[in-house]
Amino acid sequence: MAIFPKNKILALAAGCLISTVMMAAPVPEGEQNSGKQKASSEQNASYASARPEVEAFIKDLVKNEKFSRQEVESVLGKAKKSDRVLELISRPAEKKLEWKDYRKIFMTDQRVNEGVDFWQTHAETLAKAEKEYGVPASIIVAIIGVETYYGRLTGGFKVLDALSTLSFDYPPRSKFFTQQLKEFLILVREQKLDPHELTGSYAGAMGIPQFMPSSYRAYAVDFTGDGQSNIWQHEEDAIASVGNYLKENGWRAGKPIASKARVQGTKYEQAIGKSVKPAKTLKQLETSGWKPVNVLPSATRAAAMSFEGEKGTEYWLGMENFRVITTYNRSKLYAMAVHQLAKEVSTGYKTAVQNKKTQATVANKS
């Protein structure tokens, strides 16, 4: 197993997944692969050195990353401006979903069942990754399930086109995406990949786990031992990369993620903040009227949260591992979806394993 050396892990990379640029609400499935459908209508962008911002980008790569001007100009010369990317990134945000609506998207029988199937198919790899990184297999499966429906919906936009468009034709986030374009060109050189062939989301997130280029360079893992971290086609690499990402962002092995809570009194709402950082101990939160349903040490730190569920307001306490999940996507709705999907898939997987054992026993006796 070969993880990129620590000196390649950039400070910028932390948390630079798709979550940093997308809304909490997921992209509709019909738009996941719309890049392929729109490709024929895109027009070649004038990403030439005549544009000051492109010239500055080229000079930076030549001076600081030892690229030749010719190779950078050659790559950018084949990049295409995508009007569809600009439409998706700049359209007005959809109405903010409440938990009761957001939950319905991910907590479906089909997504749970496919998660069980994914786990059964990759049980050995998941067990190895859990041991290596201390992250439960259920959490890794759930993140991949939420991000790309277990690798089925990884996006159909060419990463080079998406990142070039957002770097040079989307001023509001130009700085961020220019850095991601730089990281992308470095990673394709390091991994000996074709920059014109790699696909991802409209924001440039790549592969089964939807890593932005900087996150790829920081956390992607070669779990197959073939010398390349192939998060596009190898589930093994994707699984390990998610585990490594969470570990490097502070995952605490064996520690709780979240607990439902009971509230009472008149001060409990004052304890709810915007941050999911677990700043107070359960003992401190208890003075505000919060009590976890699960039995936890009073010194455990947690963040008080509320969600609008189908049967009314739900109260939850999120611990440090809940916060770590939000580094993958900066939304407490996302983290709660991952947490609950992981539980459902775990239950389904254990049942499936037990059923197989029972069937084997019956078969041996007959």
Side-chain angles (χ1 to χ4, degrees):
M1 181 180 64
I3 301 175
F4 285 132
K6 287 285 185 179
N7 62 3
K8 286 186 179 179
I9 298 181
L10 307 178
L12 177 79
C16 284
L17 293 174
I18 185 61
S19 56
T20 61
V21 293
M22 293 181 70
M23 299 177 294
V27 178
E29 289 189 15
E31 293 175 357
Q32 290 280 352
N33 295 300
S34 60
K36 291 178 181 177
Q37 299 167 1
K38 293 286 181 177
S40 61
S41 64
E42 306 296 1
Q43 303 203 351
N44 287 327
S46 56
Y47 297 136
S49 57
R51 293 180 60 169
E53 64 274 23
V54 177
E55 174 63 17
F57 179 76
I58 294 172
K59 284 184 175 179
D60 176 35
L61 286 178
V62 171
K63 178 180 179 181
N64 299 312
E65 304 298 339
K66 302 191 184 322
F67 281 85
S68 72
R69 169 175 283 273
Q70 182 179 3
E71 63 182 320
V72 181
E73 288 182 337
S74 176
V75 171
L76 292 181
K78 295 177 182 178
K80 296 178 180 178
K81 179 181 177 181
S82 173
D83 293 331
R84 182 60 172 158
V85 163
L86 293 174
E87 177 189 346
L88 289 171
I89 201 74
S90 61
R91 67 184 178 183
E94 298 169 8
K95 66 177 182 179
K96 195 170 183 179
L97 294 176
E98 296 287 1
W99 170 238
K100 60 184 178 182
D101 301 312
Y102 191 93
R103 187 180 189 278
K104 291 177 183 177
I105 299 170
F106 301 105
M107 299 302 294
T108 64
D109 290 342
Q110 182 179 358
R111 201 177 295 254
V112 171
N113 292 337
E114 289 192 25
V116 173
D117 292 342
F118 182 87
W119 195 338
Q120 289 180 300
T121 301
H122 303 288
E124 185 177 342
T125 299
L126 284 160
K128 182 181 175 183
E130 181 171 326
K131 183 177 180 180
E132 178 79 17
Y133 304 109
V135 179
S138 60
I139 292 294
I140 296 175
V141 172
I143 283 182
I144 292 174
V146 169
E147 288 291 334
T148 60
Y149 223 127
Y150 312 107
R152 177 149 42 99
L153 301 173
T154 58
F157 292 89
K158 288 191 175 183
V159 176
L160 177 64
D161 293 350
L163 292 178
S164 296
T165 299
L166 295 171
S167 294
F168 306 124
D169 287 298
Y170 186 63
R173 297 301 305 278
S174 175
K175 184 176 180 180
F176 171 79
F177 285 111
T178 299
Q179 182 63 37
Q180 292 305 311
L181 178 58
K182 177 179 178 178
E183 298 286 340
F184 177 69
L185 295 182
I186 294 172
L187 82 83
V188 296
R189 179 176 66 180
E190 290 174 338
Q191 296 289 300
K192 297 179 174 58
L193 299 168
D194 186 342
H196 306 291
E197 295 300 321
L198 300 181
T199 59
S201 76
Y202 70 80
M206 306 177 298
I208 297 167
Q210 293 289 275
F211 274 15
M212 291 299 285
S214 57
S215 290
Y216 178 101
R217 294 192 66 225
Y219 308 113
V221 172
D222 169 21
F223 222 44
T224 61
D226 65 357
Q228 190 176 82
S229 305
N230 189 338
I231 63 172
W232 292 267
Q233 297 172 315
H234 292 170
E235 287 86 354
E236 298 91 340
D237 290 353
I239 286 167
S241 296
V242 172
N244 187 45
Y245 176 91
L246 293 174
K247 177 187 175 183
E248 292 295 328
N249 277 278
W251 187 271
R252 298 179 180 179
K255 298 299 182 181
I257 299 171
S259 171
K260 263 194 170 182
R262 300 187 186 93
V263 295
Q264 62 182 13
T266 59
K267 298 189 296 182
Y268 66 87
E269 289 187 347
Q270 298 174 15
I272 301 173
K274 292 183 179 180
S275 174
V276 295
K277 183 177 180 180
K280 294 184 178 181
T281 65
L282 293 180
K283 187 174 182 179
Q284 290 172 322
L285 288 167
E286 191 171 354
T287 63
S288 298
W290 288 77
K291 188 175 182 61
V293 171
N294 299 340
V295 177
L296 296 166
S298 61
T300 302
R301 290 190 171 274
M305 304 178 294
S306 65
F307 297 84
E308 290 308 312
E310 284 193 330
K311 297 181 180 180
T313 305
E314 299 177 12
Y315 298 97
W316 287 79
L317 291 164
M319 290 71 180
E320 178 61 13
N321 283 341
F322 188 89
R323 182 203 65 79
V324 173
I325 296 173
T326 66
T327 68
Y328 210 105
N329 182 308
R330 296 174 186 176
S331 163
K332 68 177 184 179
L333 298 180
Y334 174 92
M336 186 56 70
V338 168
H339 174 57
Q340 293 195 9
L341 181 60
K343 282 185 169 294
E344 291 292 325
V345 171
S346 181
T347 298
Y349 176 73
K350 290 175 183 177
T351 299
V353 170
Q354 185 57 49
N355 287 342
K356 281 188 176 181
K357 289 181 179 179
T358 300
Q359 291 170 3
T361 301
V362 171
N364 289 334
K365 288 181 178 180
S366 59

